[in-house]
Amino acid sequence: MSNSNRSSGLFISFEGIDGAGKSTHISGLADAFKAAGRSVTLTREPGGTPLAEKLRAMVLNDAMDSLTESLLIFAARRDHLAQVIRPALLRGEVVLCDRFTDATFAYQGGGRGFDLHVLKTLEAWVQSTEGQALLQPDLTVWFDLDPLKAAERLAGARVPDKFEAQPVEFFRRVAQGYADRQQAEPNRFARIDAAQSRETVWQDVVTVFKTRAWL
Ligand code: TYD
């Protein structure tokens, strides 16, 4: 997959089912990149712009069918790419994005059982600009965790949103959705065993970046 529509920027996404524990590692990486002298854009999906954050609130809280949900998520993504991600990559920054399109394939495709061909079409529309290749992350760090363990971690942690309130079977399908995406594009994914201690997970995350000489 070519990413010719950028200069020396680096686009990293972070994925995993709810409760997999990616957040602390994302902020740790932001600090590590800054310490290495890189400019960092730390952002998330759905969200990352004022419009996309409004769409996020609807997607996370309001009941809707799967097509509506997918359209709102991709609409948010389109705005986020245009306003934040592409400009940051063109400035040569490191973009650390908490979730991206793999989450749509995992949650809407896997979890909800929504049509993957429609998602593929939306992906192509939203992540392409005229005359340029489809923009994908350079690397996707996937925090893989058994859905039962994730449910234990989430239990009582906070008031669950629409997705966090789903039963464990939903998250099994989401996890399978991630595994399918990894299988389709193994070189883009770095799988982290998120069942390990936080310290060991962090060591594994750092190793992923050091191996690529990005840190
Ligand atoms: P999350 O990233 O876990 O943020 P927080 O830690 O603040 O809860 O929450 C985003 C939720 O949105 C998560 O449950 C997954 C869901 N989601 C989708 O269903 N599809 C998508 O394409 C994306 C990006 C997120």
Side-chain angles (χ1 to χ4, degrees):
M1 193 86 46
S2 151
N3 279 314
S4 55
N5 45 347
R6 62 171 70 175
S7 55
S8 57
L10 208 49
F11 181 19
I12 318 288
S13 66
F14 299 87
E15 299 285 0
I17 60 173
D18 289 274
K22 56 189 162 51
S23 305
T24 52
H25 302 298
I26 299 173
S27 43
L29 272 175
D31 292 342
F33 271 110
K34 284 180 199 157
R38 297 292 301 255
S39 294
V40 174
T41 291
L42 188 56
T43 189
R44 70 171 180 180
E45 291 216 343
T49 70
L51 172 62
E53 290 291 331
K54 287 187 203 167
L55 295 170
R56 177 190 176 92
M58 296 178 200
V59 166
L60 264 53
N61 298 305
D62 298 346
M64 60 188 74
D65 74 13
S66 298
L67 175 57
T68 308
E69 198 169 89
S70 302
L71 289 169
L72 292 181
I73 288 168
F74 271 111
R77 182 161 298 136
R78 179 77 181 174
D79 192 54
H80 191 207
L81 278 166
Q83 307 294 334
V84 174
I85 297 177
R86 285 186 197 277
L89 292 174
L90 287 170
R91 290 193 302 268
E93 294 186 13
V94 177
V95 175
L96 302 179
C97 194
D98 187 345
R99 300 190 185 281
F100 194 63
T101 304
D102 298 308
T104 318
F105 280 82
Y107 279 78
Q108 280 63 49
R112 299 257 193 251
F114 186 63
D115 190 333
L116 297 178
H117 293 107
V118 175
L119 295 182
K120 279 256 163 226
T121 302
L122 293 172
E123 179 185 40
W125 282 355
V126 165
Q127 288 162 234
S128 307
T129 10
E130 214 176 312
Q132 293 181 335
L134 187 124
L135 185 79
Q136 291 285 21
D138 295 293
L139 175 73
T140 297
V141 183
W142 172 33
F143 294 85
D144 189 20
L145 182 64
D146 183 278
L148 269 182
K149 288 216 175 78
E152 277 167 27
R153 285 187 188 172
L154 277 183
R158 56 182 172 188
V159 180
D161 65 35
K162 203 173 86 183
F163 295 103
E164 289 162 350
Q166 292 290 324
V168 77
E169 303 82 69
F170 175 87
F171 288 105
R172 288 202 194 292
R173 296 194 298 275
V174 174
Q176 186 58 49
Y178 279 127
D180 293 344
R181 287 287 278 185
Q182 186 206 25
Q183 238 180 8
E185 279 182 77
N187 295 334
R188 178 165 65 79
F189 276 82
R191 180 190 166 275
I192 303 283
D193 176 3
Q196 306 172 102
S197 71
R198 183 175 288 188
E199 191 47 42
T200 310
V201 169
W202 171 246
Q203 298 301 331
D204 285 2
V205 169
V206 170
T207 300
V208 163
F209 286 83
K210 292 220 190 263
T211 308
R212 287 165 176 77
W214 288 345
L215 267 179

